[in-house]
Amino acid sequence: MVTGTGWIFDNGLWYYLDHDKVVTGWLFDKGNWYYLYPKSDDNSHIEGSMAKDATIQGWYVDSSGKWITEEVNSNSNETSDSSLTENEDDDLLTLIKHLDNVAKNYGSILDLSNQNRRVLNLLRYYKYGNTGSMFTQISWMGTLGDDDSDFVAHVYGTDDFDKISPYIQKNSIEGIIHGKKTDLPHLAATTLGYYSSPLVPDFWTGWGGDLATAMSDVSKLLSKGTNKTPYKLATEVIGDDSYTCPRLDIEADIDAIQLSSILDSDTIGNLLDNYFQNVDGNVRRQILFESLGFSDTPSVEELNNAIYNMMTGSSGFGNKLKGWTLTRLAKYNNAPPTDEVVKAVTLAFSEYIINKL
């Protein structure tokens, strides 16, 4: 009997255990994805054993068990870059649409949630769940509401969960929908925030929260000693994957504004299918501009003024009852950002939206 915790090698096979219990499905460990076989009805694989030299759900794992970020070409023995394949589009959208049906058939008359909330909570739960410290749990509950943990538990361990798991974990892979990359957990959490955030202003769950953490990033870089100005550092931080306000987060923040406004009109799968067919930088710019009250395309100065005022005014840091929670995201070493840093980040963000999105 295989026992222990972590990776265990037994009778020529690798297993990953969590307190003597074998883990199955996709596993992210030390920067790599592995697949551990679930229980097999035909005994073709031992439950919990690691796959190697195999194609799992369209993804190839090599002789060491590592997923190599390439998808198998079904028409040959070669592999091809899967970053923008229609096959992945189809598979991911089909999977989300199937989860829509699972969510539709779940619950009872006493269940206060709804189908779309269940699917969005599943997509965000493992990366942005109501877990951790009591403060974190209260913060997520106040930001996104109930997490539908009963539905998440219902899906956990199923084939659907194994297939969606690589896209929704803390170190998730990017989803591809109609050739466009997206961070599904971020998109789901932000959409929920815009749709029904019970305690905080909507934009805090989206670009406002990301700008606050970008301010913390800039303050941290300044603390290390540099000849660069706060503005120069801000232009390097905004949109960069190395920091907390990367391009995919900015795109998801804006996508969520639109998706939340039509969330009751269709299922999640259909909404994503239709939206990602046509979205691009110009579409996203217009969504953000309209959400800020602009009827025409603003100048960088006009956009910056609107964003700076929202971040610092009564709906942002200046909110007398809840502003401290947004300020907490912007702090570095328990110190709030200086006004110079705040202005630098809002200006860099405004320029990024108009010139680079």
Side-chain angles (χ1 to χ4, degrees):
M1 180 179 179
V2 182
T3 60
T5 295
W7 287 106
I8 303 293
F9 189 72
D10 183 70
N11 289 331
L13 297 172
W14 282 102
Y15 302 82
Y16 192 92
L17 276 66
D18 182 8
H19 296 91
D20 296 340
K21 182 180 179 181
V22 292
V23 174
T24 60
W26 287 103
L27 169 75
F28 188 83
D29 181 60
K30 297 179 180 177
N32 294 293
W33 283 99
Y34 301 86
Y35 187 79
L36 306 164
Y37 287 111
K39 187 175 182 180
S40 173
D41 293 334
D42 59 4
N43 295 318
S44 57
H45 300 289
I46 298 176
E47 183 179 9
S49 61
M50 182 190 75
K52 58 182 181 179
D53 281 328
T55 302
I56 308 296
Q57 299 158 3
W59 306 106
Y60 179 70
V61 292
D62 64 14
S63 59
S64 68
K66 296 176 182 177
W67 170 60
I68 61 171
T69 69
E70 291 181 332
E71 189 171 20
V72 173
N73 184 336
S74 60
N75 297 320
S76 71
N77 293 324
E78 299 177 354
T79 58
S80 59
D81 184 356
S82 65
S83 60
L84 296 175
T85 63
E86 285 300 321
N87 283 341
E88 186 178 352
D89 282 355
D90 294 342
D91 290 345
L92 185 55
L93 281 171
T94 299
L95 177 56
I96 293 174
K97 290 178 181 180
H98 186 258
L99 288 169
D100 284 330
N101 288 327
V102 175
K104 179 180 179 181
N105 295 320
Y106 181 83
S108 67
I109 194 171
L110 298 177
D111 191 346
L112 299 180
S113 189
N114 60 55
Q115 175 182 332
N116 282 354
R117 279 194 59 88
R118 293 184 193 112
V119 174
L120 290 175
N121 271 316
L122 172 66
L123 296 179
R124 66 97 175 178
Y125 184 87
Y126 292 94
K127 190 171 184 178
Y128 304 107
N130 299 7
T131 59
S133 68
M134 183 60 68
F135 178 83
T136 300
Q137 292 181 50
I138 293 173
S139 296
W140 279 121
M141 183 67 72
T143 303
L144 304 181
D146 181 68
D147 61 4
D148 284 304
S149 57
D150 53 344
F151 175 70
V152 174
H154 174 73
V155 176
Y156 180 80
T158 64
D159 288 342
D160 289 332
F161 180 80
D162 287 345
K163 292 174 183 177
I164 199 69
S165 183
Y167 299 98
I168 63 174
Q169 302 293 336
K170 288 186 177 180
N171 296 289
S172 57
I173 62 176
E174 298 163 343
I176 309 292
I177 303 177
H178 291 300
K180 295 147 189 170
K181 296 180 181 180
T182 188
D183 181 335
L184 275 180
H186 193 101
L187 177 59
T190 310
T191 300
L192 279 170
Y194 272 99
Y195 179 67
S196 61
S197 182
L199 296 179
V200 302
D202 294 343
F203 79 99
W204 290 16
T205 67
W207 58 265
D210 286 335
L211 286 193
T213 58
M215 293 169 192
S216 178
D217 289 337
V218 172
S219 296
K220 181 178 180 180
L221 292 171
L222 287 169
S223 74
K224 293 180 178 180
T226 177
N227 293 325
K228 296 179 180 179
T229 65
Y231 167 73
K232 176 59 177 175
L233 292 173
T235 61
E236 295 175 0
V237 164
I238 298 295
D240 192 296
D241 290 346
S242 302
Y243 299 100
T244 60
C245 189
R247 182 180 185 89
L248 279 187
D249 283 11
I250 295 172
E251 291 180 347
D253 292 339
I254 298 172
D255 295 340
I257 297 173
Q258 177 64 18
L259 290 170
S260 64
S261 70
I262 56 175
L263 193 60
D264 292 328
S265 67
D266 210 334
T267 62
I268 298 300
N270 287 340
L271 290 172
L272 294 177
D273 193 351
N274 294 328
Y275 177 76
F276 277 94
Q277 287 187 51
N278 301 308
V279 71
D280 58 16
N282 288 327
V283 171
R284 289 186 172 110
R285 270 189 284 271
Q286 290 307 310
I287 291 171
L288 181 61
F289 295 160
E290 289 178 10
S291 74
L292 294 171
F294 292 105
S295 57
D296 297 314
T297 300
S299 65
V300 169
E301 181 181 3
E302 290 171 332
L303 182 60
N304 180 49
N305 287 339
I307 291 173
Y308 175 82
N309 289 336
M310 285 190 71
M311 290 297 297
T312 60
S314 60
S315 62
F317 298 142
N319 188 297
K320 293 181 179 180
L321 294 178
K322 296 166 285 191
W324 65 273
T325 60
L326 186 63
T327 303
R328 185 174 181 270
L329 294 177
K331 287 183 176 181
Y332 176 68
N333 276 348
N334 291 319
T338 65
D339 191 53
E340 184 180 11
V341 168
V342 174
K343 288 180 176 177
V345 169
T346 61
L347 177 58
F349 179 70
S350 300
E351 292 175 337
Y352 187 91
I353 293 297
I354 289 181
N355 299 323
K356 296 183 179 181
L357 189 62

